[in-house]
Amino acid sequence: MLHQALQTELQDDFLAPAELDPMNRRLCFTRKPDVVVQVVVLAEDTTLQMQLADQGIMLQTCQQISPIEVKPAQMLSHLYSFLGRSKRLGLSGRKNPDVGILTTSKIYRIQNKTFVFTPQSFDRSTNYIDTDPSLAMSTLAYSLNYLSTSWMALGRPTLTLILNSSMLEEGRVPPPIVNTLKKLSGGYINGTRVILGTHEQFKPTSCFSELAFLGNIE
């Protein structure tokens, strides 16, 4: 009887589906279009940029995308440590130092500035395993697939990577990295839909977030 009554009220528009399902669990069963992962690859500086250009790899430098600022994931982790912090209430804030790739794949507006953050898994100062180019590119392919299957936010995820001189072998980009860049340019990598471009190109489709809890913290 209850089921029939609810069905009648839904059909007659006396009830909205969201009123019965405020957590939107019903949407989990709705087929979603494939998520396209946006990828931006930057050169560390102009010297590396010219070396890459000699190999036919044209990239912007971190300075050339100004006013957007590129920071490591550790900086974003530090910013999130202010979430929930209150001296008056004796709350210490967020303690977990890790930020996942879903978090670093957003573009952040913080105190009238725009920031992007590189993934924690590609920080060579903390993750020495990925100093091997082949392993690093395998990690990238897995990360892109994870983003594609797990992304739920509005807008597309934007993965920002930096090529630096420590990645070169005898002054040249290793073949695994070159092959991966070619796959990214082709639009697919291991079955994951991707698009390689710039932050400016991706601005209309990117996911933006604001850390309002920071207030006037410097």
Side-chain angles (χ1 to χ4, degrees):
M1 291 294 291
L2 178 61
H3 174 75
Q4 291 179 341
L6 290 175
Q7 186 176 18
T8 300
E9 293 195 10
L10 285 169
Q11 290 174 343
D12 294 339
D13 293 329
F14 289 118
L15 274 178
E19 293 178 291
L20 296 176
D21 179 27
M23 296 186 69
N24 294 325
R25 294 183 182 276
R26 67 194 184 284
L27 300 181
C28 296
F29 300 97
T30 304
R31 182 174 176 80
K32 297 177 294 183
D34 291 340
V35 173
V36 179
V37 182
Q38 302 173 161
V39 182
V40 180
V41 183
L42 303 170
E44 183 181 36
D45 52 37
T46 53
T47 302
L48 182 60
Q49 183 186 44
M50 289 187 289
Q51 287 179 295
L52 295 171
D54 290 339
Q55 289 185 251
I57 301 172
M58 312 304 294
L59 300 177
Q60 290 180 302
T61 66
C62 297
Q63 292 74 29
Q64 288 172 341
I65 67 169
S66 179
I68 298 175
E69 298 184 37
V70 187
K71 301 293 182 182
Q74 288 178 325
M75 177 63 73
L76 184 58
S77 174
H78 174 68
L79 294 176
Y80 267 108
S81 70
F82 291 96
L83 180 62
R85 184 181 299 185
S86 172
K87 290 184 179 179
R88 188 175 63 179
L89 298 176
L91 301 177
S92 59
R94 183 180 183 272
K95 288 296 185 181
N96 188 351
D98 296 324
V99 286
I101 198 167
L102 293 173
T103 305
T104 55
S105 295
K106 299 176 182 179
I107 298 176
Y108 289 85
R109 293 191 177 107
I110 304 170
Q111 298 176 353
N112 298 320
K113 295 182 179 180
T114 304
F115 294 87
V116 293
F117 296 91
T118 54
Q120 184 171 287
S121 57
F122 292 93
D123 185 351
R124 291 193 167 198
S125 65
T126 58
N127 186 20
Y128 68 91
I129 295 177
D130 277 356
T131 53
D132 176 79
S134 296
L135 184 55
M137 294 304 99
S138 295
T139 300
L140 174 60
Y142 170 80
S143 299
L144 292 170
N145 179 262
Y146 176 75
L147 274 174
S148 176
T149 56
S150 303
W151 187 258
M152 299 292 288
L154 294 175
R156 292 175 175 174
T158 304
L159 186 68
T160 303
L161 302 171
I162 298 176
L163 285 182
N164 55 55
S165 55
S166 66
M167 297 178 179
L168 302 183
E169 294 179 351
E170 298 180 354
R172 298 185 66 80
V173 181
I177 297 180
V178 174
N179 293 336
T180 297
L181 289 173
K182 289 179 179 178
K183 289 180 181 179
L184 293 173
S185 299
Y188 281 91
I189 180 168
N190 291 7
T192 302
R193 290 185 62 195
V194 296
I195 180 170
L196 185 65
T198 67
H199 291 106
E200 184 63 29
Q201 292 171 334
F202 295 151
K203 188 175 180 180
T205 54
S206 296
C207 175
F208 286 83
S209 181
E210 296 189 21
L211 303 185
F213 59 84
L214 290 174
N216 295 321
I217 295 172
E218 296 183 1

Tab-separated table of all heavy atoms in Angstrom, residues 163-201:
chain	number	residue	atom	x	y	z
A	163	LEU	N	57.596	18.308	-16.476
A	163	LEU	CA	58.807	17.602	-16.892
A	163	LEU	C	60.004	18.425	-16.433
A	163	LEU	O	60.097	19.621	-16.728
A	163	LEU	CB	58.852	17.446	-18.410
A	163	LEU	CG	57.937	16.388	-19.034
A	163	LEU	CD1	58.163	16.340	-20.540
A	163	LEU	CD2	58.198	15.020	-18.433
A	164	ASN	N	60.917	17.799	-15.694
A	164	ASN	CA	62.108	18.521	-15.249
A	164	ASN	C	63.372	17.812	-15.731
A	164	ASN	O	63.320	16.695	-16.253
A	164	ASN	CB	62.112	18.687	-13.723
A	164	ASN	CG	61.987	17.367	-12.990
A	164	ASN	OD1	62.777	16.447	-13.217
A	164	ASN	ND2	61.003	17.251	-12.118
A	165	SER	N	64.491	18.474	-15.559
A	165	SER	CA	65.761	17.977	-16.106
A	165	SER	C	66.178	16.640	-15.520
A	165	SER	O	66.901	15.869	-16.161
A	165	SER	CB	66.866	19.013	-15.877
A	165	SER	OG	66.954	19.351	-14.502
A	166	SER	N	65.716	16.320	-14.307
A	166	SER	CA	66.092	15.047	-13.683
A	166	SER	C	65.465	13.853	-14.401
A	166	SER	O	65.884	12.719	-14.207
A	166	SER	CB	65.680	15.044	-12.207
A	166	SER	OG	64.275	15.064	-12.074
A	167	MET	N	64.454	14.114	-15.236
A	167	MET	CA	63.795	13.035	-15.975
A	167	MET	C	64.521	12.693	-17.267
A	167	MET	O	64.219	11.679	-17.897
A	167	MET	CB	62.347	13.432	-16.291
A	167	MET	CG	61.484	13.648	-15.071
A	167	MET	SD	59.809	14.165	-15.546
A	167	MET	CE	59.033	14.306	-13.938
A	168	LEU	N	65.460	13.540	-17.674
A	168	LEU	CA	66.157	13.312	-18.929
A	168	LEU	C	67.245	12.255	-18.767
A	168	LEU	O	67.790	12.062	-17.681
A	168	LEU	CB	66.786	14.611	-19.430
A	168	LEU	CG	65.849	15.797	-19.669
A	168	LEU	CD1	66.629	16.976	-20.229
A	168	LEU	CD2	64.704	15.417	-20.594
A	169	GLU	N	67.531	11.591	-19.863
A	169	GLU	CA	68.614	10.614	-19.897
A	169	GLU	C	69.578	11.031	-20.999
A	169	GLU	O	69.206	11.046	-22.173
A	169	GLU	CB	68.062	9.203	-20.164
A	169	GLU	CG	67.195	8.665	-19.033
A	169	GLU	CD	66.644	7.281	-19.312
A	169	GLU	OE1	66.804	6.803	-20.471
A	169	GLU	OE2	66.049	6.687	-18.396
A	170	GLU	N	70.785	11.423	-20.605
A	170	GLU	CA	71.794	11.927	-21.535
A	170	GLU	C	71.260	13.116	-22.341
A	170	GLU	O	71.480	13.245	-23.550
A	170	GLU	CB	72.268	10.811	-22.470
A	170	GLU	CG	72.942	9.657	-21.723
A	170	GLU	CD	73.412	8.566	-22.657
A	170	GLU	OE1	73.110	8.647	-23.869
A	170	GLU	OE2	74.100	7.645	-22.189
A	171	GLY	N	70.506	13.977	-21.637
A	171	GLY	CA	70.007	15.196	-22.256
A	171	GLY	C	68.793	15.019	-23.139
A	171	GLY	O	68.352	15.977	-23.799
A	172	ARG	N	68.194	13.835	-23.158
A	172	ARG	CA	67.026	13.585	-24.007
A	172	ARG	C	65.894	12.972	-23.185
A	172	ARG	O	66.141	12.326	-22.154
A	172	ARG	CB	67.393	12.667	-25.182
A	172	ARG	CG	68.430	13.266	-26.114
A	172	ARG	CD	68.665	12.383	-27.320
A	172	ARG	NE	67.498	12.279	-28.195
A	172	ARG	CZ	67.149	13.196	-29.087
A	172	ARG	NH1	67.873	14.304	-29.227
A	172	ARG	NH2	66.102	13.030	-29.860
A	173	VAL	N	64.682	13.173	-23.673
A	173	VAL	CA	63.518	12.604	-22.997
A	173	VAL	C	63.501	11.098	-23.235
A	173	VAL	O	63.610	10.649	-24.382
A	173	VAL	CB	62.215	13.234	-23.536
A	173	VAL	CG1	61.008	12.651	-22.807
A	173	VAL	CG2	62.239	14.747	-23.364
A	174	PRO	N	63.387	10.290	-22.197
A	174	PRO	CA	63.389	8.832	-22.363
A	174	PRO	C	62.224	8.358	-23.238
A	174	PRO	O	61.145	8.966	-23.220
A	174	PRO	CB	63.235	8.311	-20.932
A	174	PRO	CG	63.661	9.435	-20.054
A	174	PRO	CD	63.290	10.686	-20.783
A	175	PRO	N	62.423	7.285	-24.014
A	175	PRO	CA	61.374	6.763	-24.894
A	175	PRO	C	60.025	6.510	-24.191
A	175	PRO	O	58.979	6.801	-24.794
A	175	PRO	CB	61.976	5.457	-25.430
A	175	PRO	CG	63.455	5.708	-25.406
A	175	PRO	CD	63.698	6.544	-24.189
A	176	PRO	N	59.987	5.962	-22.953
A	176	PRO	CA	58.674	5.744	-22.326
A	176	PRO	C	57.851	7.025	-22.182
A	176	PRO	O	56.628	7.007	-22.356
A	176	PRO	CB	59.026	5.156	-20.956
A	176	PRO	CG	60.362	4.527	-21.132
A	176	PRO	CD	61.077	5.425	-22.089
A	177	ILE	N	58.535	8.147	-21.888
A	177	ILE	CA	57.820	9.419	-21.739
A	177	ILE	C	57.363	9.929	-23.102
A	177	ILE	O	56.238	10.421	-23.249
A	177	ILE	CB	58.712	10.456	-21.024
A	177	ILE	CG1	59.029	9.981	-19.602
A	177	ILE	CG2	58.030	11.821	-20.999
A	177	ILE	CD1	59.916	10.929	-18.802
A	178	VAL	N	58.232	9.813	-24.117
A	178	VAL	CA	57.866	10.245	-25.467
A	178	VAL	C	56.662	9.458	-25.966
A	178	VAL	O	55.702	10.023	-26.511
A	178	VAL	CB	59.048	10.073	-26.437
A	178	VAL	CG1	58.620	10.387	-27.867
A	178	VAL	CG2	60.210	10.973	-26.031
A	179	ASN	N	56.666	8.142	-25.775
A	179	ASN	CA	55.557	7.296	-26.220
A	179	ASN	C	54.259	7.657	-25.502
A	179	ASN	O	53.180	7.662	-26.113
A	179	ASN	CB	55.890	5.823	-25.982
A	179	ASN	CG	57.030	5.338	-26.870
A	179	ASN	OD1	57.284	5.909	-27.933
A	179	ASN	ND2	57.716	4.293	-26.448
A	180	THR	N	54.370	7.970	-24.208
A	180	THR	CA	53.175	8.338	-23.449
A	180	THR	C	52.604	9.665	-23.941
A	180	THR	O	51.381	9.817	-24.075
A	180	THR	CB	53.501	8.429	-21.945
A	180	THR	OG1	53.896	7.144	-21.472
A	180	THR	CG2	52.284	8.899	-21.153
A	181	LEU	N	53.481	10.631	-24.234
A	181	LEU	CA	53.015	11.915	-24.753
A	181	LEU	C	52.307	11.737	-26.097
A	181	LEU	O	51.303	12.412	-26.382
A	181	LEU	CB	54.197	12.879	-24.899
A	181	LEU	CG	54.804	13.412	-23.592
A	181	LEU	CD1	56.071	14.219	-23.871
A	181	LEU	CD2	53.799	14.260	-22.828
A	182	LYS	N	52.804	10.828	-26.921
A	182	LYS	CA	52.151	10.546	-28.209
A	182	LYS	C	50.761	9.941	-27.990
A	182	LYS	O	49.805	10.288	-28.689
A	182	LYS	CB	53.017	9.605	-29.048
A	182	LYS	CG	54.290	10.247	-29.587
A	182	LYS	CD	55.106	9.254	-30.394
A	182	LYS	CE	56.371	9.905	-30.945
A	182	LYS	NZ	57.208	8.931	-31.711
A	183	LYS	N	50.663	9.035	-27.022
A	183	LYS	CA	49.356	8.432	-26.720
A	183	LYS	C	48.377	9.484	-26.207
A	183	LYS	O	47.202	9.484	-26.563
A	183	LYS	CB	49.523	7.319	-25.684
A	183	LYS	CG	50.215	6.075	-26.207
A	183	LYS	CD	50.345	5.024	-25.113
A	183	LYS	CE	51.072	3.777	-25.615
A	183	LYS	NZ	51.220	2.756	-24.553
A	184	LEU	N	48.880	10.387	-25.350
A	184	LEU	CA	48.023	11.462	-24.833
A	184	LEU	C	47.532	12.347	-25.977
A	184	LEU	O	46.364	12.763	-26.002
A	184	LEU	CB	48.786	12.301	-23.811
A	184	LEU	CG	49.157	11.616	-22.486
A	184	LEU	CD1	50.049	12.518	-21.645
A	184	LEU	CD2	47.910	11.226	-21.698
A	185	SER	N	48.404	12.629	-26.921
A	185	SER	CA	48.024	13.452	-28.077
A	185	SER	C	46.991	12.744	-28.940
A	185	SER	O	46.165	13.393	-29.584
A	185	SER	CB	49.262	13.782	-28.925
A	185	SER	OG	50.210	14.516	-28.179
A	186	GLY	N	47.024	11.408	-28.937
A	186	GLY	CA	46.079	10.630	-29.732
A	186	GLY	C	44.692	10.543	-29.130
A	186	GLY	O	43.748	10.117	-29.816
A	187	GLY	N	44.541	10.920	-27.849
A	187	GLY	CA	43.207	10.945	-27.249
A	187	GLY	C	42.852	9.743	-26.402
A	187	GLY	O	41.818	9.749	-25.720
A	188	TYR	N	43.689	8.708	-26.416
A	188	TYR	CA	43.430	7.514	-25.606
A	188	TYR	C	44.733	6.988	-25.039
A	188	TYR	O	45.772	7.029	-25.705
A	188	TYR	CB	42.775	6.398	-26.427
A	188	TYR	CG	41.294	6.569	-26.662
A	188	TYR	CD1	40.835	7.248	-27.787
A	188	TYR	CD2	40.359	6.062	-25.753
A	188	TYR	CE1	39.471	7.417	-28.013
A	188	TYR	CE2	38.999	6.220	-25.968
A	188	TYR	CZ	38.563	6.899	-27.097
A	188	TYR	OH	37.224	7.070	-27.303
A	189	ILE	N	44.664	6.489	-23.816
A	189	ILE	CA	45.813	5.791	-23.241
A	189	ILE	C	45.271	4.628	-22.407
A	189	ILE	O	44.533	4.822	-21.445
A	189	ILE	CB	46.699	6.745	-22.400
A	189	ILE	CG1	47.894	5.982	-21.818
A	189	ILE	CG2	45.913	7.457	-21.326
A	189	ILE	CD1	48.970	6.876	-21.220
A	190	ASN	N	45.576	3.439	-22.866
A	190	ASN	CA	45.081	2.213	-22.213
A	190	ASN	C	43.566	2.214	-22.049
A	190	ASN	O	43.031	1.814	-21.021
A	190	ASN	CB	45.760	2.028	-20.846
A	190	ASN	CG	47.230	1.694	-20.975
A	190	ASN	OD1	47.784	1.725	-22.063
A	190	ASN	ND2	47.876	1.380	-19.870
A	191	GLY	N	42.861	2.723	-23.058
A	191	GLY	CA	41.395	2.721	-23.036
A	191	GLY	C	40.764	3.910	-22.341
A	191	GLY	O	39.536	4.048	-22.347
A	192	THR	N	41.557	4.791	-21.747
A	192	THR	CA	41.032	5.972	-21.058
A	192	THR	C	41.031	7.162	-22.010
A	192	THR	O	42.033	7.442	-22.674
A	192	THR	CB	41.902	6.318	-19.829
A	192	THR	OG1	41.936	5.195	-18.944
A	192	THR	CG2	41.325	7.526	-19.090
A	193	ARG	N	39.904	7.863	-22.070
A	193	ARG	CA	39.804	9.033	-22.935
A	193	ARG	C	40.519	10.212	-22.292
A	193	ARG	O	40.258	10.567	-21.152
A	193	ARG	CB	38.338	9.397	-23.190
A	193	ARG	CG	37.579	8.416	-24.064
A	193	ARG	CD	36.184	8.938	-24.359
A	193	ARG	NE	36.233	10.184	-25.100
A	193	ARG	CZ	35.185	11.004	-25.246
A	193	ARG	NH1	34.037	10.722	-24.654
A	193	ARG	NH2	35.301	12.116	-25.956
A	194	VAL	N	41.421	10.827	-23.030
A	194	VAL	CA	42.195	11.965	-22.523
A	194	VAL	C	42.264	13.038	-23.596
A	194	VAL	O	42.006	12.785	-24.777
A	194	VAL	CB	43.622	11.545	-22.114
A	194	VAL	CG1	43.599	10.562	-20.957
A	194	VAL	CG2	44.378	10.957	-23.307
A	195	ILE	N	42.619	14.227	-23.168
A	195	ILE	CA	42.878	15.307	-24.110
A	195	ILE	C	44.062	16.100	-23.585
A	195	ILE	O	44.107	16.477	-22.414
A	195	ILE	CB	41.628	16.203	-24.316
A	195	ILE	CG1	41.938	17.324	-25.315
A	195	ILE	CG2	41.126	16.760	-22.993
A	195	ILE	CD1	40.693	18.091	-25.751
A	196	LEU	N	45.044	16.312	-24.436
A	196	LEU	CA	46.269	17.019	-24.057
A	196	LEU	C	46.160	18.461	-24.526
A	196	LEU	O	45.831	18.734	-25.683
A	196	LEU	CB	47.480	16.339	-24.700
A	196	LEU	CG	48.873	16.848	-24.330
A	196	LEU	CD1	49.165	16.607	-22.849
A	196	LEU	CD2	49.932	16.161	-25.187
A	197	GLY	N	46.401	19.404	-23.614
A	197	GLY	CA	46.272	20.806	-23.993
A	197	GLY	C	46.836	21.726	-22.924
A	197	GLY	O	47.725	21.343	-22.155
A	198	THR	N	46.304	22.951	-22.878
A	198	THR	CA	46.767	23.956	-21.926
A	198	THR	C	45.642	24.319	-20.959
A	198	THR	O	44.467	24.065	-21.231
A	198	THR	CB	47.236	25.220	-22.656
A	198	THR	OG1	46.098	25.850	-23.286
A	198	THR	CG2	48.276	24.882	-23.721
A	199	HIS	N	46.023	24.945	-19.852
A	199	HIS	CA	45.011	25.382	-18.891
A	199	HIS	C	44.064	26.401	-19.515
A	199	HIS	O	42.875	26.427	-19.198
A	199	HIS	CB	45.685	25.986	-17.655
A	199	HIS	CG	46.409	24.974	-16.822
A	199	HIS	ND1	47.784	24.888	-16.800
A	199	HIS	CD2	45.955	24.003	-15.991
A	199	HIS	CE1	48.145	23.910	-15.997
A	199	HIS	NE2	47.068	23.355	-15.482
A	200	GLU	N	44.591	27.232	-20.397
A	200	GLU	CA	43.751	28.240	-21.054
A	200	GLU	C	42.700	27.568	-21.929
A	200	GLU	O	41.522	27.964	-21.940
A	200	GLU	CB	44.629	29.174	-21.898
A	200	GLU	CG	43.870	30.325	-22.550
A	200	GLU	CD	43.239	31.276	-21.540
A	200	GLU	OE1	43.788	31.418	-20.423
A	200	GLU	OE2	42.175	31.863	-21.866
A	201	GLN	N	43.098	26.530	-22.662
A	201	GLN	CA	42.155	25.802	-23.504
A	201	GLN	C	41.096	25.083	-22.674
A	201	GLN	O	39.932	24.977	-23.073
A	201	GLN	CB	42.905	24.781	-24.367
A	201	GLN	CG	43.806	25.405	-25.431
A	201	GLN	CD	44.690	24.362	-26.104
A	201	GLN	OE1	45.003	23.324	-25.533
A	201	GLN	NE2	45.126	24.649	-27.322
